Amino acid sequence: MTPSPVSPASAADLPSAPDDLLATRAGEGDEEAFAILVRRHSRPLLALAFHTLGDLQDAEDAVQDAFISAWRRLPEFRHGSAFRTWMYRITVNRCLNSLRHRPSPVPLNSVAEPAAPGIRSSPARAAEQDALTDALMGALGALEPQQRICWVLRELHGLPYAQIAHVTGATEQTVRGRLYRARRTLKEALGPWR
């Protein structure tokens, strides 16, 4: 791709430009516009990939592959959905491919999330919080990948059912069913912590 010429005035406006304009410019070869999209969407996509794959290195690889794929496919992007939704879908597909080709399951609790400030006020409380985190990560790891992805997109990213359906390529009814089963499984697994 040959970068499109960018006037100095428009280059200054790029960081505040909406995603659809940046995606259009990036599709025309504007690397700076694409770099802004990458910076803007990397964190939520990495969180999605990490909660899906349970391994930070695998998550980083999946997100990097998703952005490489998006860069190549941007000229085909027709704005039928938001750029964010499109990137979620590409990232979910990369995560599912990674899970399919994984030789053996990797526990989701391999990288523990830090506790919120003030939670670790005592060793007993810290141990309880660590055990709860381990139990949640283990329960998430036990979910079927499609259920886990739906749960992460809904509960951690706050996406509406219609958008989750678009990202996963399923119907809203299927998404609701997957979420119901995921929540039920997590509730049963975390019953002792209630």
Side-chain angles (χ1 to χ4, degrees):
M1 264 184 222
T2 306
S4 62
V6 179
S7 68
S10 64
D13 295 336
L14 279 179
S16 61
D19 284 353
D20 58 340
L21 175 63
L22 292 171
T24 299
R25 300 230 4 202
E28 295 169 351
D30 187 335
E31 293 177 13
E32 184 179 351
F34 189 69
I36 292 168
L37 288 169
V38 169
R39 282 191 302 273
R40 192 177 285 177
H41 295 283
S42 289
R43 280 193 147 171
L45 293 174
L46 184 59
L48 167 65
F50 174 73
H51 286 101
T52 302
L53 299 171
D55 180 82
L56 187 57
Q57 184 63 47
D58 289 346
E60 289 172 346
D61 290 346
V63 172
Q64 182 177 1
D65 288 347
F67 277 118
I68 290 170
S69 177
W71 173 251
R72 290 179 182 146
R73 294 173 46 202
L74 264 170
E76 303 164 14
F77 181 56
R78 299 289 178 238
H79 304 278
S81 63
F83 178 81
R84 173 184 164 196
T85 303
W86 188 61
M87 283 306 304
Y88 272 127
R89 185 172 189 141
I90 294 170
T91 303
V92 163
N93 288 337
R94 292 296 175 270
C95 290
L96 290 173
N97 286 340
S98 179
L99 288 171
R100 276 187 216 108
H101 296 101
R102 214 177 244 181
S104 60
V106 175
L108 279 174
N109 62 358
S110 60
V111 178
E113 292 187 31
I119 297 282
R120 297 187 179 266
S121 56
S122 72
R125 181 72 178 141
E128 182 180 319
Q129 185 63 35
D130 288 345
L132 175 58
T133 299
D134 288 346
L136 175 60
M137 295 305 279
L140 277 173
L143 292 175
E144 293 177 14
Q146 290 287 352
Q147 289 177 8
R148 187 179 327 139
I149 288 169
C150 288
W151 188 87
V152 168
L153 289 172
R154 179 68 180 166
E155 302 301 332
L156 300 182
H157 292 267
L159 266 62
Y161 295 117
Q163 203 169 6
I164 296 170
H166 183 75
V167 167
T168 60
T171 65
E172 279 189 59
Q173 179 106 6
T174 301
V175 167
R176 289 178 189 276
R178 287 175 181 163
L179 282 168
Y180 172 78
R181 288 187 297 282
R183 289 174 178 146
R184 187 181 66 205
T185 301
L186 292 174
K187 183 178 177 181
E188 289 171 8
L190 299 174
W193 295 99
R194 295 182 87 203

